[in-house]
Amino acid sequence: MATAELAAPVPEARGDVLIRIALGTTATFVVTAFGAVLFGSIRGVAVVVAVVMFFTGIAAFFIAYFRAVARSRTEVLGVGGIYFLSGSAPLRVRVALLGSLALQTVVAMVTASLRPFSSLAYGMLVPMFGVGVAGLWGAFHGRYPTRPEESASVPDDD
């Protein structure tokens, strides 16, 4: 019986899909950005990847914002907890998502500086994707303190 319990599939942890998306798209960006530095013929592909990641990041940012607004009725949320996972996410999630954001930022800066005045400057838009995905995780899966109930009565003056 113990063997059957060990062989049973482990349920997916909350938000792991977002982590895989963040890591996969970051890897795609790294490959296309550095590929565009080495081979000018694929700069168009790098631009498409960067622009798609940027607009997807904007959409993710606003979805996270509206979800956080809805949650704020019953919980105390902050911008740092939502978009930068401060105090709202486990260490492994913060490392994966904020590490992905950091890598996107560094790769964008390095590749744009290696080929200045080129289409690689579009890579500077990519970190918006990292912020948006971290925001989605924080807004949907983050843990926040419960908002205290407001008192219906006015306190007496002593």
Side-chain angles (χ1 to χ4, degrees):
M1 184 162 213
T3 307
E5 290 174 11
L6 292 175
V10 177
E12 186 171 332
R14 296 179 331 139
D16 277 356
V17 170
L18 288 173
I19 294 170
R20 285 197 298 273
I21 289 170
L23 296 176
T25 53
T26 300
T28 302
F29 170 62
V30 169
V31 168
T32 58
F34 279 113
V37 168
L38 299 174
F39 308 104
S41 60
I42 65 165
R43 283 192 185 157
V45 173
V47 168
V48 168
V49 168
V51 169
V52 167
M53 287 179 73
F54 174 67
F55 284 112
T56 304
I58 289 174
F61 183 92
F62 282 111
I63 291 168
Y65 173 77
F66 290 117
R67 173 66 175 145
V69 166
R71 284 185 72 178
S72 71
R73 296 172 195 265
T74 59
E75 297 169 287
V76 180
L77 286 77
V79 171
I82 299 164
Y83 293 102
F84 298 103
L85 308 173
S86 176
S88 64
L91 180 62
R92 74 173 188 84
V93 173
R94 287 194 314 266
V95 167
L97 294 178
L98 298 180
S100 177
L101 171 60
L103 182 60
Q104 292 166 9
T105 304
V106 169
V107 169
M109 292 172 59
V110 167
T111 56
S113 66
L114 288 173
R115 296 284 185 256
F117 310 109
S118 73
S119 61
L120 288 171
Y122 282 98
M124 297 301 290
L125 302 172
V126 169
M128 185 69 217
F129 181 82
V131 171
V133 172
L136 283 177
W137 199 99
F140 281 90
H141 304 291
R143 293 185 169 248
Y144 304 97
T146 303
R147 183 174 294 285
E149 288 190 32
E150 294 182 25
S151 175
S153 63
V154 179
D156 292 333
D157 288 334
D158 289 329

